[in-house]
Amino acid sequence: MYKGHARAYTNIALIKYWGKADQELILPMNNSLSLTLDAFYTETSVTFSSEYTEDQFYLDQQLQDQKATAKVSRFLDLIRNKAQSQLFAKVDSQNFVPTAAGLASSASGLAALAGAASAALGLSLDERELSRLARRGSGSASRSVYGGFAEWQKGNSDETSYAVPIASDDFEADLSMVFVVVNDHQKDVSSRDGMQRTVETSAFYDGWLATVPQDLEKARAAIQGKDFQALGEVTEASALKMHGTTLAAVPPFTYWSAESMRVMNLVRQFRNEGLACYFTMDAGPNVKILVERKNEAALVAKLTEHFAADQLITAHAGPGIKIQTKEVEA
Ligand code: 2P0
């Protein structure tokens, strides 16, 4: 029998994915564009065996409950169907994050699971097929198949919705992303529920969709031209617009906390002081700051005046998914 093993790195969207056209297939309402990072990743091993009588899911060495296991089983069913297998699996997954700050990501987790499980059943998927499969687990996972910049093309079917790498002449090597981990949690709304509520009820959702194509165009042009300022400006604008939609949802919600706003204001202040840096935020209160690598130390020095060292995590561009298959004793 074969053990499939995969390591996938998380990615942060510069142009955000926010809303689904199809819940079951995870087809998004808009294209999104991301940077894969080196600082957070998931390693997952999967074996399938006729000796197993149910799927078992270990996360960070802890056997998970029925609810978490059922989610993994539903995803494994997609792969079992593809491989025409009825074997149960043992899934062993480990998240590598620098602190216990709640930064574990479904992007790296589902991409690693897609890679490891498909390899264990002998499916040798190309990157596009792997991106499509990862997408079925979590939309943002479609982008973690690739290193550097990737764009998830929304498509209009299971076959046509997948991420592709963006040629960048290594521009990503010039970039850093500093995570500011803030500790004042808002009441959680999962990204899945939050984006759905926004699509269905937010008066601002159409406004969001209307400007995504031009933001993508600006981001692609900034990457081609290695124009950090243009990339930063459109990154920040995309995040602000995405988060704006949540305020008009019914009931309204926000992922911003007082501390998030403090970080965003500091970023604006640093820019006024001549340090080019731009923020983005996802479905939680932490703020990520995009900065040129040559200015990373200056940014961290300024942030250190306001935050504890363990609240600051610096990441750089990371690689694409790595998959291995090993023969093991049954
Ligand atoms: C993104 N986020 O583009 C956006 C921006 C959060 C804010 O993708 O429901 O875990 O599994 O497809 O991918 C987080 O949502 O959601 C996300 P599902 P996912 O990164």
Side-chain angles (χ1 to χ4, degrees):
M1 101 181 159
Y2 290 92
K3 179 184 255 188
H5 181 264
R7 176 191 282 197
Y9 292 79
T10 197
N11 71 79
I12 296 295
L14 307 182
I15 307 298
K16 302 297 184 188
Y17 149 49
W18 197 240
K20 293 182 184 66
D22 186 311
Q23 310 294 321
E24 171 65 24
L25 292 174
I26 311 200
L27 305 181
M29 294 290 276
N30 61 271
N31 289 23
S32 52
L33 185 154
S34 60
L35 179 62
T36 296
L37 298 177
D38 62 354
F40 313 98
Y41 58 93
T42 304
E43 287 206 358
T44 297
S45 296
V46 179
T47 46
F48 288 88
S49 169
S50 54
E51 314 238 305
Y52 303 152
T53 54
E54 58 184 4
D55 290 329
Q56 284 187 303
F57 173 37
Y58 290 83
L59 180 58
D60 297 328
Q61 270 117 43
Q62 300 283 319
L63 183 62
Q64 300 296 295
D65 65 15
Q66 253 184 339
K67 195 172 161 211
T69 307
K71 271 194 201 166
V72 167
S73 291
R74 274 196 297 277
F75 183 70
L76 292 175
D77 285 343
L78 298 171
I79 300 167
R80 283 187 277 246
N81 281 342
K82 246 187 220 299
Q84 300 190 320
S85 166
Q86 288 172 349
L87 299 176
F88 289 110
K90 180 173 170 220
V91 175
D92 196 344
S93 200
Q94 203 161 356
N95 280 322
F96 291 82
V97 292
T99 66
L103 290 170
S105 145
S106 64
S108 58
L110 271 297
L113 181 60
S118 57
L121 282 181
L123 295 170
S124 49
L125 304 181
D126 62 23
E127 287 180 326
R128 179 174 296 184
E129 291 168 318
L130 193 59
S131 176
R132 285 176 48 213
L133 176 61
R135 185 201 82 231
R136 298 289 302 271
S138 192
S140 52
S142 66
R143 303 182 305 233
S144 273
V145 168
Y146 305 98
F149 296 106
E151 180 169 345
W152 176 14
Q153 302 181 332
K154 66 186 167 120
N156 56 16
S157 62
D158 180 40
E159 290 73 26
T160 55
S161 186
Y162 49 81
V164 295
I166 300 178
S168 63
D169 188 29
D170 226 19
F171 177 43
E172 66 272 19
D174 298 344
L175 306 178
S176 301
M177 194 173 268
V178 179
F179 286 62
V180 184
V181 179
V182 299
N183 296 315
D184 53 345
H185 271 280
Q186 295 278 332
K187 187 173 180 302
D188 287 338
V189 179
S190 73
S191 53
R192 195 162 282 197
D193 293 349
M195 68 174 81
Q196 185 58 15
R197 190 193 300 175
T198 307
V199 171
E200 287 171 359
T201 67
S202 175
F204 296 166
Y205 193 72
D206 288 346
W208 158 257
L209 281 186
T211 63
V212 173
Q214 63 224 48
D215 286 349
L216 283 160
E217 196 48 55
K218 283 184 200 166
R220 288 188 212 109
I223 292 167
Q224 301 320 311
K226 300 195 175 191
D227 183 340
F228 176 73
Q229 184 183 333
L231 185 63
E233 285 175 0
V234 76
T235 293
E236 199 172 286
S238 178
L240 286 168
K241 282 185 273 192
M242 180 208 115
H243 286 273
T245 66
T246 70
L247 300 178
V250 184
F253 65 103
T254 183
Y255 294 111
W256 295 6
S257 68
E259 279 293 278
S260 316
M261 295 189 73
R262 188 160 80 93
V263 181
M264 290 189 277
N265 283 327
L266 280 169
V267 168
R268 294 186 184 103
Q269 182 191 312
F270 298 162
R271 275 209 300 270
N272 287 336
E273 293 165 0
L275 176 62
C277 58
Y278 299 88
F279 61 77
T280 188
M281 286 183 63
D282 295 293
N286 299 324
V287 182
K288 296 107 188 182
I289 308 175
L290 191 63
V291 67
E292 284 170 288
R293 202 160 175 154
K294 64 180 186 203
N295 291 329
E296 175 193 309
L299 174 64
V300 171
K302 280 177 181 281
L303 288 167
T304 304
E305 293 172 20
H306 302 272
F307 302 98
D310 67 359
Q311 288 181 269
L312 304 175
I313 301 161
T314 300
H316 303 115
I321 192 167
K322 292 182 172 58
I323 300 172
Q324 293 166 330
T325 312
K326 265 200 310 219
E327 196 162 0
V328 290
E329 299 276 313

